[in-house]
Amino acid sequence: MTKVSITLICVLVFAIVGCRQNTPANNANLTIELVSDPPIPAMGQSTFIIQLKDSEGQPITDATVNLRGDMTHAGMQPEFGTLLGIDEGQYRYDFTWSMVGDWVITVAGTTADGTPFEQRFERQVNR
Amino acid sequence: MSALTTPKPRFDLLSLPVVGRLLRGRYGRLVLQLPFLVVAVLLIYDGFTGDALASQNLATVGVWVHYRGFLAIALLLLGNVFCMGCPFTLPRTLAKRLSGSGRRFPKLLRNKWLAITNLFLLFFLYEWLDLWASPALTAWVIIAYFVASFVLDAWFSESAFCKYVCPLGAFNFAYSTLSPSQIQAKNTSVCASCVGKECVNGSYSPQPLILIDAIATQNTPERTHTHDQNGVLGCGTNLFVPQMKSNMDCTLCLDCVRACPHDNVALVLRAPAKELGDIEAMPKRWDYAFLFICLAFMGVVNAFGMVPPVYELMKSLALGLQLGALGLSQPLIEGIVLLVMFGVGALLLPVGWTLLSGKLAMMLTRSKTSLREIVTSLSPAFVPLGFGIWVAHYSYHFLTGFLTIVPVSQLFLIQHGVTALGTPNWTLSGVTNLTVIGGVQFVALILGFLMSFVVLERNARHLFKRQSVMGMLPFVLMLLFLMLVATWIFSLPMEMRGTVYFD
């Protein structure tokens, strides 16, 4: 009986441990679009254009936009960059895909009035 | 049961002034287990509550970069210290107390087949579920270990989890045969006259029990020792110290050292891989043989999962099996294809090829030695090369990312209000020169292959005498195949890809 209880307790503990991970969610009042050139990422040089719009679809200018590229495997050094404003609500960064595989691009920053934003994009880089 | 060995006197690591005393102490293992337990709890906690990105989470960085790297180093330089410090067995004492003595593990399962299956499942799930990219799943794996260990130790009398189930334990047991240390009796004549055999039976007794070691001429006890509630458990994996010729199944828990009333157990320094070249050191069992051989092939298949040709092969397999036409989901197709790839590469191929090689060796030497005798005697030759393949793979992740634990720890502390270590320095990584890493991988493979060849030649000579060259030839081809395929794989650029898109 004791053994059965132990087993049941373990199964219960096993089942109730919840997953609550921190995945950055975008600010609801912002739209962040990521366009890369070439559109299907390949190893080497690539250009990112980030388009920032407010809830009414108006471009957001004068924001500080940073970018971070991580491979999905732990232990790989990330790539960083600060994007330059090139047009109304558009920000550009020349990025180097250093390895083929799955990447997560984190776009984060603050608008001119100090509102923070962050969003992640997944990209698969080919040869 | 093999005969008692008469070991040469060697340096006893437990005689070292501070470390030796600490390890021999009642709570010696606990000193190592507690820090590991704290780390395991931290990994679980951050795995569930921390950043979902693998590169920014302690669970994924700790397990898939650092644990595997340190494990390889420890096995090579020290011994099976990761089993010694294993936190999964910590709840064992509680489980034993709750359950009483328990029954023995089912006889049918008292072998390595379950551990081989679990190793296969672990490597398959690692690829299919992209465990390396998921902190939450990594945390679940750690919890699964705790639960499995607790339940099995509650149900069964011996350490069934360690000896028969745990895939990490099976990996550590197999490759600790390369380690430079081993448990050994100081004087086997003491063991021969030992009354209690405490190293295996333990010195624990609910009621005080006096054991008589020697009787003087007047029929009065000359020497006695006592079992009581302060005693310790004997070897959890049922090893009898004076018969130990190998590190297989030894978790280095040192319970044998603490239980021995005669202070007759030592942790000696020895020549690495000593038992591999001694065909009497290992039991002549198929499960041991295929653990060694399949682990080497699993190493190749696991590394193959990270280089470009794997994606073409997976797509070809999906196409050939017409899985797309069945309307299956992409993850299911990937799972089936990986199962086929792992099943063939890590199980069917090594098992089939080994049996064929054994038969060929019999034919070439016209030997009357049984197939089992040949395979079990020559299988230890796959240990050094297998370990070399794993080291080559793990060293890539460890060397390129060993400093990434620093910013990830900084991030963890900041997320919990501790700013003492400053802001995360994400520029810290590890060795960035891929030529250096390639050199390390190549050296690991070459050394592994050479050592495998030496072991094979030695064991074949012992088995086939003057026919040894012909007898070892089929197995040399297997080792050469593994070596060449591994060299090819590690010469290819690594790809960290979790998703494969099937047509």
Side-chain angles (χ1 to χ4, degrees), chain A residues 7 14 20-21 77 99 102 124, chain B residues 47-48 155 427 496 498-499:
Chain A
T7 310
F14 198 66
R20 191 175 56 81
Q21 285 188 307
Q77 192 177 19
M99 188 179 262
D102 295 339
Q124 189 169 79
Chain B
F48 285 133
W155 276 88
T427 59
M496 310 290 176
T499 317

Side-chain angles (χ1 to χ4, degrees), chain A residues 1-11 13-24 43 68-80 98-106 118 120 122-127, chain B residues 47-57 60-61 64-65 68 95 98-99 102-103 126 132-133 135-136 140 143-144 147 150-151 154-155 306 308 396-397 400-401 404 426-429 432 493-499 501:
Chain A
M1 191 63 193
T2 318
K3 290 175 195 169
V4 176
S5 309
I6 292 166
T7 310
L8 286 175
I9 289 167
C10 289
V11 171
V13 170
F14 198 66
I16 60 174
V17 178
C19 304
R20 191 175 56 81
Q21 285 188 307
N22 295 325
T23 307
M43 207 164 117
R68 172 186 169 128
D70 286 278
M71 297 216 69
T72 50
H73 198 295
M76 306 304 291
Q77 192 177 19
E79 308 246 352
F80 292 94
S98 55
M99 188 179 262
V100 174
D102 295 339
W103 286 75
V104 176
I105 303 296
T106 306
E118 185 168 317
R120 283 180 179 164
E122 291 180 5
R123 292 287 183 273
Q124 189 169 79
V125 179
N126 297 306
R127 192 150 295 282
Chain B
F48 285 133
T49 64
D51 201 298
L53 205 56
S55 58
Q56 295 186 37
N57 195 294
T60 31
V61 173
W64 306 121
V65 177
R68 302 191 301 184
L98 286 171
S99 69
R103 69 184 79 172
Y126 174 83
W132 39 272
W140 275 114
I143 289 177
V147 173
F150 186 72
V151 170
W155 276 88
M306 303 201 79
Y396 178 88
H397 296 298
T400 53
T404 55
W426 294 108
T427 59
L428 292 173
S429 58
T432 51
M494 284 280 212
E495 291 189 8
M496 310 290 176
R497 209 189 284 236
T499 317
Y501 297 103

Side-chain angles (χ1 to χ4, degrees), chain B residues 364-443:
Chain B
L364 290 171
T365 57
R366 292 179 192 147
S367 167
K368 289 198 168 62
T369 315
S370 72
L371 182 63
R372 186 170 76 166
E373 178 82 11
I374 292 172
V375 170
T376 54
S377 299
L378 302 185
S379 64
F382 288 81
V383 172
L385 180 57
F387 189 66
I389 292 167
W390 286 109
V391 167
H393 184 175
Y394 289 172
S395 65
Y396 178 88
H397 296 298
F398 184 65
L399 292 175
T400 53
F402 71 90
L403 286 176
T404 55
I405 195 71
V406 178
V408 175
S409 302
Q410 288 174 309
L411 177 68
F412 176 81
L413 290 173
I414 286 171
Q415 284 169 343
H416 295 84
V418 182
T419 54
L421 292 184
T423 53
N425 180 2
W426 294 108
T427 59
L428 292 173
S429 58
V431 179
T432 51
N433 188 338
L434 290 180
T435 310
V436 172
I437 294 169
V440 171
Q441 290 177 314
F442 189 64
V443 168

Side-chain angles (χ1 to χ4, degrees), chain B residues 222-233:
Chain B
E222 187 181 66
R223 208 154 32 86
T224 64
H225 66 274
T226 313
H227 287 188
D228 54 29
Q229 289 188 340
N230 293 322
V232 294
L233 297 171

